[in-house]
Amino acid sequence: MKYKACLFDLDGVLVDTAVYHFQAWKILGKHFNFELSHEQNEELKGISRVESLDKILHWAHFQATQEQKGRWLKEKNETYLELISHMNPSEILPGVISFLDQLKEQGYLIALGSASKNAGIILEKTGLTTWFNAIIDGNVVTKSKPDPEVFLKGAEALGCPATACIVFEDAQAGIDAAKAGGMKVVGVGSPTILRGADKVISSFTELQVSELLLL
Ligand code: G6P
Ligand code: MG
C-alpha cells in the first residue's frame, strides 16, 4: 500500500467546533471592545489558545497584563466548554463516518493531530474516540502548527514514516505543518483560502479512499 496512515485534524475537519471557538472569542472580545471578523477567525484556526489570544490582543491594539491574559484564557475556555457541552454524534461533519469506515476496511491506521486541549472531550461526546489508533492533542505537543510536531508525533505513535502518511486539515497552519513534516495533505475547505495542499475537498462526501492513491 502506497500510504499506511491518515492523520486528522479535529476542529473543522471531523466536527465543526470552529463555530464554537469563534463564538467564545467574540464573547471574550467584549472585555476590550473587540469584534472578531470571519477573516481574522480564519487565522486562528489550528493555532493554540495562548497564541490565539495574543493575536486577538494584537489586532485589538490592547496591552494586557499577564494576570488579565491568564484570566481571559480561562474565561474563554469556560465559555467554549459550555458551548460544546451539548455536542453529540449529529455534529460529525458529512461523509466523515463513511470515510473512516472505508479507511478501517482497507487497513489504514488512523490518528488525531489536533492543537486542542479539549480534543478528548469532543471525541467522547461525538462518539469518535474508538476510531483512533493514536490521539495526539494540545496536551502532548509543545510547538503549535505550522510546526510539524503534532503530525510527526502521530506518525511515530502509529509506527509509520512521514512519507506514508496523509494529513487532513482545514487550517493553513495545519497544511503548512503537514508539508513541513514531509507528508501529503488534503485540505478541507475552499481552494481559494487553502494554499499548498495536494488536493482540496469541500467535504468528505466528495472523496473516496481509493482516490488517495492519486496523491
Ligand atoms: C484547534 C482550533 C483552534 C484552537 C486550538 C486550541 O486547533 O482550530 O482554533 O485555538 O485547537 O483549542 P483549545 O480547545 O485547546 O482551546
Ligand atoms: Mg482545524
Side-chain angles (χ1 to χ4, degrees):
M1 206 153 65
K2 192 173 171 193
Y3 300 109
K4 290 192 170 63
C6 288
L7 279 61
F8 292 87
D9 171 51
L10 176 66
D11 295 315
V13 170
L14 302 175
V15 288
D16 194 10
T17 41
V19 294
Y20 300 132
H21 281 295
F22 184 54
Q23 282 178 40
W25 285 126
K26 264 181 107 88
I27 292 168
L28 190 85
K30 292 187 180 146
H31 285 301
F32 37 91
N33 280 322
F34 180 67
E35 181 79 23
L36 183 69
S37 72
H38 281 283
E39 290 71 30
Q40 287 165 330
N41 190 53
E42 198 60 39
E43 287 189 45
L44 300 181
K45 288 184 179 176
I47 66 167
S48 73
R49 199 181 308 163
V50 173
E51 283 171 299
S52 299
L53 179 61
D54 282 342
K55 265 189 188 275
I56 289 171
L57 290 170
H58 173 76
W59 290 326
H61 305 291
F62 192 94
Q63 284 282 3
T65 63
Q66 280 309 111
E67 190 275 326
Q68 279 173 318
K69 282 194 198 179
R71 192 153 37 86
W72 288 342
L73 285 170
K74 193 163 168 275
E75 195 178 314
K76 185 269 174 178
N77 199 49
E78 281 165 3
T79 309
Y80 181 68
L81 284 173
E82 174 59 31
L83 291 168
I84 64 169
S85 68
H86 308 290
M87 282 187 86
N88 61 57
S90 74
E91 287 179 67
I92 297 171
L93 288 168
V96 165
I97 292 291
S98 149
F99 192 77
L100 292 174
D101 252 335
Q102 289 178 53
L103 286 176
K104 282 278 175 209
E105 260 169 42
Q106 297 183 35
Y108 284 86
L109 293 168
I110 302 175
L112 188 85
S114 167
S116 175
K117 293 189 169 170
N118 297 304
I121 301 172
I122 295 163
L123 291 179
E124 281 302 324
K125 289 208 164 278
T126 53
L128 281 168
T129 314
T130 52
W131 291 100
F132 292 90
N133 301 103
I135 293 175
I136 311 296
D137 66 14
N139 299 297
V140 293
V141 292
T142 54
K143 294 178 223 126
S144 276
K145 300 168 187 176
D147 189 283
E149 182 189 10
V150 65
F151 296 129
L152 292 177
K153 279 198 166 149
E156 193 187 336
L158 296 176
C160 288
T163 48
C165 296
I166 303 170
V167 169
F168 294 84
E169 257 296 347
D170 71 315
Q172 190 59 47
I175 290 175
D176 297 342
K179 284 281 127 194
M183 298 170 182
K184 293 286 179 185
V185 58
V186 175
V188 182
S190 158
T192 55
I193 294 179
L194 301 175
R195 295 174 310 276
D198 297 290
K199 181 179 178 71
V200 178
I201 55 169
S202 61
S203 151
F204 280 96
T205 54
E206 283 172 16
L207 187 67
Q208 296 296 313
V209 168
S210 55
E211 293 172 67
L212 298 179
L213 299 175
L214 304 173
L215 291 174

